[in-house]
Amino acid sequence: MMALSEQHHALRHAEPAHRLRGVGAPTADGVARRLRAAGIRPTRQRVAICSLLFGGGDRHVTAEVLFEEAQRIKIPISLATIYNCLHTFAKRRLIRELFVDPTTTYYDTNTSDHCHFVSQVDGSIMDVPAAGIQLGPIEGVPEGLHVVDVQVVVRLRPKVDGRSISPAEDLSGVSTTPPYPATPV
């Protein structure tokens, strides 16, 4: 098992990265700077989790997915620590909590204002293209309050033989191979 200090050393000497999003793993120094800028102390665990989150571009993940990824590359970290870090990152707006499923919390590394498609067949989450949904000013916000987040989730079901399948119909036997670029969750 690779010790956390070895993982930190590997991250520290990775290819330089100018942003946390993008191709390739960000460096530990770049991640630490980003965490500090958000008011978060860059512990080794936070640096490791942040590197997993942002190493491959925008994505939608759960704590369990990050835990499996950490285990696969031998980062010794508990699921509880991952949950705590994700909560801290969301509170400091490094990531965004998504409310697409009442039983699981998903996190989005893209914190810009955007909407999501969610497949009711396989649960995959995809960003709606920027021009896909136009949101205007929200009317009727109570006095003294302001809007801090709007989440629009568009649930999708496949068409079979050219017809839409109703929510009551059984989806067993329906192909779960998405005809769209899905982000695995």
Side-chain angles (χ1 to χ4, degrees):
M1 184 180 270
M2 181 186 283
L4 194 54
S5 61
E6 291 171 335
Q7 174 65 21
H8 182 73
H9 178 78
L11 289 170
R12 188 174 197 81
H13 294 91
E15 290 280 323
H18 299 288
R19 305 179 312 163
L20 284 178
R21 281 189 207 123
V23 179
T27 65
D29 287 338
V31 171
R33 277 193 302 276
R34 177 71 183 262
L35 289 171
R36 277 190 209 96
I40 300 170
R41 189 168 56 89
T43 65
R44 282 183 270 182
Q45 292 89 354
R46 289 175 180 158
V47 168
I49 292 168
C50 203
S51 296
L52 284 175
L53 272 171
F54 294 100
D58 291 335
R59 55 193 290 214
H60 308 99
V61 298
T62 64
E64 291 78 10
V65 166
L66 286 177
F67 179 71
E68 290 171 12
E69 290 176 8
Q71 296 299 301
R72 199 169 29 253
I73 61 172
K74 310 284 193 247
I75 297 174
I77 196 162
S78 71
L79 182 57
T81 299
I82 291 174
Y83 271 110
N84 289 336
C85 287
L86 290 173
H87 178 74
T88 298
F89 294 170
K91 186 176 176 182
R92 295 302 190 144
R93 301 183 191 229
L94 281 179
I95 57 176
R96 185 175 174 191
E97 283 184 310
L98 296 180
F99 303 103
V100 298
D101 178 340
T103 62
T104 306
T105 301
Y106 292 87
Y107 297 90
D108 190 350
T109 59
N110 179 354
T111 58
S112 69
D113 290 334
H114 65 285
C115 305
H116 294 92
F117 288 129
V118 177
S119 169
Q120 290 190 316
V121 174
D122 64 5
S124 59
I125 301 171
M126 300 141 286
D127 290 343
V128 174
I133 296 177
Q134 299 298 316
L135 298 176
I138 297 175
E139 302 292 328
V141 176
E143 182 75 27
L145 300 175
H146 67 278
V147 176
V148 294
D149 187 32
V150 174
Q151 292 194 19
V152 176
V153 174
V154 180
R155 300 192 187 285
L156 304 174
R157 292 177 67 85
K159 288 184 176 184
V160 174
D161 298 326
R163 71 176 183 85
S164 297
I165 297 176
S166 76
E169 289 183 74
D170 183 19
L171 289 176
S172 61
V174 174
S175 171
T176 60
T177 305
Y180 44 77
T183 300
V185 292

